[in-house]
């Protein structure tokens, strides 16, 4: 027997079997009436109270408290507590238990009485009216006490010994570097990798070719292909330090910050518009992008980088960087016309909690907004204690007409930044099922219990003239060496972008449902090295003439050098039959994984190969040409999309204006990061729009024409030399004679069979070269 959702027998499922048996022996209508009278006459049980908390209290809070709550009681009626609901108003009781048709509340919300229509401005939905009627039919069950409700999920939240034993929650200690029986590797990373390979019965791949290594390193650190001169210089350098010199040169390049800054922008859901229908621009969002690029180029210590973004405005002396960095809070989506302003406020705070938890801690704390986390030992109280650090952050427009803050070091200039509403933060409550109208227990700022960090030392943090100082306390805890997650999460991200996947494959989730590290000791060793470099002896090369000084704690360029000078990083990507059989996913790092270039790397490479790439840095974003068919798909076609001069459109992809509702088609099809939420991994898909965009689009055909012009200028009028140069530029290696012959045959066949002029035929050869697998895949 089936019953309608939300009906009496859905709320009291224990009665279903009993009623089904009685219905066989007697009239169905009589039996159901008797059952209803018996059940509604009973004292409210857990199911009835659950129905009230789940369906009725949130409905009343959202629609009735403004007129019948703590501040206002029209008709002397309050509906914000069980006692007040039972008491009724100046017209008497508002319900008759078990009889919705005779209850004034049902008559009012059903608009059945011309003189009594509630709510007066916006009628409840039919489902909401039905929910209230069902509640009255059940006898209007409510708690006996007016005490604040508590969340029903996981009634007794407990952190078990098993929870605390999870690897990511353990204190971070520097493991001993494994000792190998044969000659010990120079780089400790290789000792960890080779030890794992030995236990699996696998052998490491040989070193990649020098051509492969120079291309690999150049793309990994700059996101661009090496020039022919750079390739030839590396091949000609026979010194023992040739590889290290190459790495140092690439890390010193301003292109490094553009490449690695883009990885960070993926994490913090960077975009320059608000989303929703209007999707209006975020003023000066580009300053945050430039801040990130400059920070990576300057090798700003990661702990300072974190502190600036979370609490730069609370520094004793906030410079421009510290103010611009707090644009971190303003990068998310924003509804400029919310139906429920209070709910929109908490949605914005949830965006901050979610991003902070995933980016810095590798934890999905936001899963605990409405109930205790279903997987991780994170309570709903933990979520709101973390939210309390941000509770004083002013609403999106800084309590005024703009999201901009004046820059202290640039008179008249402003930046997208955050502010607080004063030195005293408003109270924070646990919200029942995430509903801001239904308050539970009051909470104070605090850290997740499972990490055992205790309470924040707010007393040691001096509030600023307009801030509470809470965010500084949070930033200090995140950057503390005692925090077990921050360093692990960051070194995992660095490893991920060098090897194609992290030692933990789920970089934003180190919780119980995330992936376990394939090399836990190596992860911890790297994390300890990030916080305190050089203990192993590899961090400092002060004894070497001309060597760099000993690295400072939390510096990322030291980690790049450490990883890239390992033999593990320099391995060939070629397959081994036995290793592919035993470890097809390459969990043991027996080879270097092939990877496809990112969307930005592909577009930037195309511009670099045809010689038109504009390396101008910083400043307001550019607008590239977008097909009119794509523009027509907007709610307001072409709204807030400009047109930059051709030389500006040839700048790197990181400088393209990132509008949430109008992503650049060639980048979007090649798996651009989702700007609405933190994107820890770029998934590499293969789908038709990629081929269509790379072969048929106006953009690629125009770039192929420019590539052909470069070949004619660089190789003269001989087709064979043009083909050779084109293939050399696309692959960063000398093409074979057979490859050159195939290219020449393609051009000749287009001329003879298709009657295409030589200039057009060369363009089509260039279009083919720009689509080579060897160009878009890095080995």
């Amino acid at each position: 027997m089936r019953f309608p959702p939300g009906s009496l027998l859905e709320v009291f499922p224990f009665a279903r079997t009993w009623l089904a048996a009685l219905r066989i022996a007697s009239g169905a209508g009589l039996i159901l009436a008797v059952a209803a009278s018996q059940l509604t006459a009973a004292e409210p049980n857990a199911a009835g109270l659950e129905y009230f908390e789940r369906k009725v209290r949130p409905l009343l809070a959202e629609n009735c408290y403004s007129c019948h709550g703590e501040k206002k009681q029209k008709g002397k009626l309050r509906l914000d507590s069980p006692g007040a609901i039972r008491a009724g108003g100046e017209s008497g009781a508002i319900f008759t238990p078990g009889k919705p048709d005779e209850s004034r509340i049902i008559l009012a919300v059903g608009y059945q009485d011309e003189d009594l229509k509630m709510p007066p401005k916006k009628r409840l939905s039919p489902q909401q009216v039905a929910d209230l009627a069902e509640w009255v039919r059940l006898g209007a069950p409510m708690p006996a006490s007016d005490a604040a409700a508590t969340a029903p999920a996981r009634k007794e939240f407990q952190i078990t010994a098993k929870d605390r034993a999870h690897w990511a929650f353990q204190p971070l200690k520097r493991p001993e570097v494994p000792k190998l029986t044969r000659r010990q590797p120079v780089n400790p990373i290789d000792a960890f990798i080779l030890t794992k390979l030995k236990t699996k019965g696998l052998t490491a791949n040989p070193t990649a070719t020098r051509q492969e290594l120079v291309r690999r390193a150049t793309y990994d650190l700059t996101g661009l292909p090496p020039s022919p001169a750079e390739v030839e210089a590396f091949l000609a350098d026979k010194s023992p330090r040739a590889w290290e010199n190459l790495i140092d040169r690439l890390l010193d390049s301003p292109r490094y910050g553009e490449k690695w800054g883009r990885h960070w922008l993926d994490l913090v859901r960077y975009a320059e518009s608000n989303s929703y229908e209007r999707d209006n621009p975020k003023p000066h969002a580009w300053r945050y992008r430039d801040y990130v690029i400059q920070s990576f180029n300057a090798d700003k210590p990661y702990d300072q980088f974190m502190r600036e973004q979370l609490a730069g405005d609370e520094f004793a002396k906030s410079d421009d960087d510290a103010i611009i960095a707090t644009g971190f809070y303003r990068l998310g989506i924003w509804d400029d016309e919310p139906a429920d302003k209070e709910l929109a406020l908490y949605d914005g705070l949830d965006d901050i909690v979610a991003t902070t938890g995933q980016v810095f801690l590798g934890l999905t704390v936001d899963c605990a907004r409405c109930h205790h986390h279903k997987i991780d030992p994170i309570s709903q109280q933990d979520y709101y204690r973390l939210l309390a650090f941000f509770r004083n952050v002013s609403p999106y427009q800084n309590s005024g007409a703009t999201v901009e803050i004046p820059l202290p070091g640039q008179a008249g200039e402003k930046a997208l930044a955050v502010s607080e509403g004063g030195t005293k933060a408003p109270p924070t409550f646990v919200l029942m099922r995430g509903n801001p109208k239904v308050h539970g227990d009051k909470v104070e700022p605090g850290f997740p219990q499972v990490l055992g960090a205790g309470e924040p030392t707010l007393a040691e943090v001096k509030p600023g003239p307009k801030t509470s100082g809470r965010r500084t306390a949070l930033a200090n805890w995140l950057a503390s060496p005692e925090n077990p997650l921050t360093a692990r999460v960051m070194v995992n991200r660095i490893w991920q972008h060098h090897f194609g996947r992290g030692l933990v494959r789920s970089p934003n989730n180190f919780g119980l449902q995330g992936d376990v590290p394939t090399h836990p000791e190596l992860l911890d060793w790297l994390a300890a090295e990030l916080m305190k470099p050089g203990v192993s002896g590899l961090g400092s090369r002060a004894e070497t003439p001309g060597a760099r000084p000993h690295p400072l704690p939390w510096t990322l360029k030291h980690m790049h050098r450490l990883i890239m000078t390992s033999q593990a990083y320099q391995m060939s990507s070629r397959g081994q039959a036995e290793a592919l059989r035993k470890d097809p996913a390459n969990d043991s790092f027996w080879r270097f994984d092939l990877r496809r270039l990112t969307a930005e790397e592909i577009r930037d490479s195309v511009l670099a190969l045809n010689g038109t790439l504009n390396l101008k840095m910083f400043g307001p974003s550019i607008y590239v040409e977008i097909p009119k068919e794509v523009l027509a798909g907007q709610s307001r076609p072409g709204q807030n999309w400009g047109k930059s001069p051709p030389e500006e459109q040839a700048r790197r992809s990181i400088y393209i204006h990132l509008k949430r509702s109008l992503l650049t088609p060639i980048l979007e099809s090649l798996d651009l990061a989702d700007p609405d939420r933190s994107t820890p991994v770029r998934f590499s898909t293969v789908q038709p729009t990629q081929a269509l965009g790379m072969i048929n689009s106006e953009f690629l055909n125009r770039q192929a024409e420019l590539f052909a012009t470069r070949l004619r200028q660089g190789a003269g009028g001989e087709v064979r030399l043009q083909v050779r140069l084109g293939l050399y530029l696309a692959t960063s290696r000398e093409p074979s004679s057979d490859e050159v012959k195939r290219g020449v045959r393609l051009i000749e066949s287009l001329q003879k069979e298709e009657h295409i002029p030589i200039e057009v035929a060369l363009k089509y050869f260039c279009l083919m070269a720009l689509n080579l697998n060897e160009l878009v895949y890095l080995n």
Side-chain angles (χ1 to χ4, degrees):
M1 186 183 300
R2 302 183 64 182
F3 305 98
S7 69
L8 169 69
L9 298 177
E10 280 291 309
V11 181
F12 297 99
F14 65 87
R16 292 180 187 174
T17 305
W18 173 68
L19 287 174
L22 288 178
R23 188 170 185 177
I24 296 173
S26 192
L30 175 62
I31 293 298
L32 288 175
V34 171
S37 65
Q38 291 294 325
L39 293 174
T40 56
E43 290 294 321
N45 64 8
L49 295 177
E50 210 297 3
Y51 188 89
F52 174 77
E53 299 293 359
R54 181 167 56 90
K55 295 279 191 179
V56 179
R57 195 195 290 263
L59 186 155
L60 296 176
E62 292 175 11
N63 299 281
C64 307
Y65 283 8
S66 59
C67 294
H68 302 286
E70 181 180 2
K71 296 181 180 179
K72 187 187 298 184
Q73 299 89 39
K74 287 189 176 182
K76 298 183 179 180
L77 173 64
R78 287 187 67 169
L79 297 174
D80 57 349
S81 70
I85 295 171
R86 291 188 185 96
E90 63 183 5
S91 298
I94 63 170
F95 64 84
T96 302
K99 299 179 180 180
D101 293 341
E102 300 177 12
S103 299
R104 287 175 55 80
I105 188 172
I106 305 304
L107 295 176
V109 298
Y111 279 42
Q112 299 175 36
D113 187 329
E114 285 298 323
D115 298 323
L116 185 63
K117 294 182 178 181
M118 296 293 168
K121 294 182 180 180
K122 184 180 179 182
R123 187 172 182 174
L124 298 183
S125 69
Q127 183 59 55
Q128 289 174 313
V129 173
D131 289 342
L132 275 177
E134 184 64 26
W135 170 67
V136 174
R137 187 177 296 113
L138 296 175
M142 289 178 285
S145 169
D146 285 349
T150 55
R154 285 181 72 176
K155 294 177 182 178
E156 294 184 5
F157 179 83
Q158 291 183 340
I159 299 176
T160 66
K162 183 178 179 181
D163 291 333
R164 294 189 184 281
H166 180 61
W167 66 270
F169 305 149
Q170 296 301 299
L172 179 60
K173 298 178 181 178
R174 182 186 290 264
E176 291 292 327
V177 177
K179 300 294 183 183
L180 302 180
T181 53
R182 58 182 183 138
R183 187 163 61 96
Q184 189 73 6
V186 174
N187 192 313
I189 289 174
D190 294 315
F192 288 100
I193 296 294
L194 292 173
T195 299
K196 176 72 74 171
L197 288 172
K198 184 177 180 181
T199 62
K200 299 290 186 180
L202 299 171
T203 57
N205 257 11
T207 302
T209 67
R210 287 175 71 84
Q211 287 93 343
E212 290 171 336
L213 288 176
V214 67
R215 189 169 185 267
R216 181 185 300 175
T218 307
Y219 267 114
D220 276 4
L221 291 180
T222 71
L224 292 171
S227 68
E230 290 170 332
V231 173
E232 291 163 10
F234 178 66
L235 296 181
D237 188 350
K238 304 302 181 183
S239 70
R241 288 183 52 82
W243 177 241
E244 291 168 307
N245 291 337
L246 172 66
I247 293 170
D248 286 345
R249 178 178 64 78
L250 295 172
L251 286 172
D252 288 340
S253 167
R255 312 282 81 81
Y256 160 75
E258 293 170 329
K259 161 68 175 178
W260 280 80
R262 181 62 257 185
H263 293 320
W264 186 259
L265 297 181
D266 282 7
L267 292 172
V268 297
R269 80 274 188 240
Y270 174 80
E272 299 178 70
S273 67
N274 294 323
S275 190
Y276 295 96
E277 182 180 5
R278 279 177 288 276
D279 199 16
N280 286 326
K282 293 179 181 292
H284 292 108
W286 55 268
R287 292 192 192 277
Y288 177 86
R289 176 206 65 208
D290 289 356
Y291 156 80
V292 170
I293 294 172
Q294 291 166 341
S295 296
F296 275 93
N297 277 336
D299 202 14
K300 181 175 291 182
Y302 181 61
D303 59 340
Q304 179 184 346
F305 187 56
M306 284 190 298
R307 285 189 172 102
E308 287 177 345
Q309 293 177 75
L310 291 169
D313 59 313
E314 294 187 331
F315 287 3
K317 293 183 179 180
S318 296
D319 58 14
D320 288 355
D321 266 12
I323 297 300
I324 293 169
T326 66
F328 164 82
Y329 290 97
R330 302 306 195 199
L331 298 175
I333 63 174
W334 176 60
D335 186 355
D336 60 359
E337 195 175 42
D340 185 326
K341 291 185 178 180
E342 190 174 12
L343 180 61
L345 168 66
Y346 280 95
D347 285 345
L349 291 171
D350 180 69
D351 169 65
I352 294 171
V353 171
T355 305
T356 302
Q358 292 177 37
V359 171
F360 298 111
L361 291 172
L363 291 178
T364 56
V365 181
D366 49 307
C367 292
R369 178 182 182 180
C370 304
H371 47 69
H372 299 325
H373 201 296
K374 297 295 186 183
I375 306 297
D376 292 339
I378 299 172
S379 68
Q380 195 179 17
Q381 285 72 21
D382 281 337
Y383 171 88
Y384 285 99
R385 280 154 55 87
L386 190 58
L387 184 145
F389 285 107
F390 311 113
R391 184 64 182 86
N392 201 36
V393 168
S394 293
Y396 185 76
Q397 291 185 305
N398 291 324
S399 300
T402 180
V403 294
E404 299 173 279
I405 299 292
L407 290 174
Q410 301 183 53
E413 296 293 331
K414 296 181 178 181
L416 184 78
V418 78
S419 71
E420 287 198 10
T423 58
K424 187 175 181 181
T428 303
F429 297 92
V430 174
L431 303 183
M432 288 286 295
R433 299 187 177 276
N435 189 331
K437 301 291 195 302
V438 187
H439 289 186
D441 296 331
K442 182 180 178 181
V443 296
E444 297 297 331
F447 311 123
Q449 300 172 58
V450 73
L451 299 181
E455 299 298 320
T457 53
L458 293 175
E460 299 175 8
V461 179
K462 295 181 179 180
K466 294 182 180 180
T467 67
S468 64
R470 289 182 173 189
R471 288 176 287 119
T472 295
L474 174 63
N476 289 343
W477 172 69
L478 286 170
S480 168
E482 282 70 46
N483 189 306
L485 287 168
T486 307
R488 282 179 174 135
V489 168
M490 191 55 191
V491 296
N492 188 63
R493 298 192 193 283
I494 299 172
W495 186 278
Q496 168 196 343
H497 292 302
H498 280 306
F499 285 89
R501 63 93 168 170
L503 294 166
V504 179
R505 289 186 183 269
S506 53
N508 267 21
N509 189 355
F510 278 34
L512 301 180
Q513 201 173 31
D515 294 306
V516 298
T518 55
H519 296 69
E521 295 83 7
L522 174 56
L523 178 67
D524 281 5
W525 188 89
L526 289 169
E529 180 72 12
L530 174 63
M531 291 190 292
K532 191 174 182 181
V535 172
S536 66
L538 189 73
S540 175
R541 299 201 305 270
E543 70 282 356
T544 306
R548 294 176 178 273
H550 188 87
L552 296 173
W554 293 102
T555 55
L556 303 186
K557 287 188 178 182
H558 167 58
M559 302 307 298
H560 292 302
R561 292 187 183 95
L562 182 61
I563 290 172
M564 296 178 72
T565 53
S566 71
Q567 287 301 307
Y569 178 82
Q570 298 174 61
M571 284 185 200
S572 163
S573 63
R574 290 167 178 78
Q576 300 179 36
E578 182 68 7
L580 286 168
R581 184 183 66 80
K582 289 184 177 180
D583 184 15
N586 194 25
D587 284 338
S588 305
F589 292 106
W590 55 268
R591 68 167 174 173
F592 187 88
D593 278 333
L594 191 77
R595 77 166 175 90
R596 199 196 72 192
L597 300 181
T598 65
E600 294 91 339
E601 286 173 327
I602 292 174
R603 178 186 175 274
D604 294 352
S605 295
V606 168
L607 296 172
L609 295 179
N610 65 28
T612 64
L613 180 64
N614 180 354
L615 293 177
K616 175 184 174 182
M617 298 178 71
F618 309 132
S621 295
I622 62 170
Y623 297 91
V624 297
E625 290 187 14
I626 289 180
K628 62 180 182 300
E629 295 84 358
V630 177
L631 292 174
Q634 292 186 285
S635 60
R636 298 180 180 183
Q639 180 79 15
N640 294 322
W641 191 262
K643 184 177 181 179
S644 299
E647 64 274 13
E648 286 287 297
Q649 292 192 42
R651 292 177 65 188
R652 294 197 70 175
S653 301
I654 195 171
Y655 298 111
I656 295 176
H657 182 77
L658 211 164
K659 183 178 174 66
R660 284 188 157 99
S661 64
L662 188 63
L663 301 178
T664 304
I666 192 66
L667 299 179
E668 183 179 22
S669 68
L670 291 167
D671 308 307
L672 186 70
D674 179 358
D676 288 351
R677 56 188 59 83
S678 179
T679 302
V681 176
R682 294 273 190 100
F683 293 103
S684 182
T685 65
V686 178
Q687 33 95 358
T689 53
Q690 294 170 351
L692 291 171
M694 290 294 291
I695 295 175
N696 293 342
S697 71
E698 182 179 345
F699 172 74
L700 257 295
N701 277 268
R702 175 58 181 154
Q703 301 312 311
E705 288 178 2
L706 295 171
F707 194 14
T709 299
R710 179 182 184 183
L711 298 186
R712 283 192 294 270
Q713 293 172 347
E718 187 175 345
V719 173
R720 182 182 62 83
L721 295 179
Q722 293 171 351
V723 169
R724 179 198 165 277
L725 177 59
L727 293 175
Y728 184 86
L729 291 170
T731 62
S732 302
R733 64 170 177 81
E734 189 70 40
S736 68
S737 58
D738 285 344
E739 289 170 330
V740 174
K741 288 177 182 178
R742 282 199 299 271
V744 172
R745 283 199 301 270
L746 171 64
I747 294 173
E748 291 175 346
S749 66
L750 288 172
Q751 289 179 274
K752 294 177 181 177
E753 299 173 15
E754 304 296 333
H755 308 291
I756 291 177
I758 179 63
E759 294 82 6
V760 179
L762 181 60
K763 173 203 139 177
Y764 284 132
F765 163 79
C766 290
L767 186 62
M768 178 276 299
L770 295 176
N771 279 272
L772 286 173
N773 273 350
E774 195 171 346
L775 190 158
V776 299
Y777 283 89
L778 185 67
N779 60 19

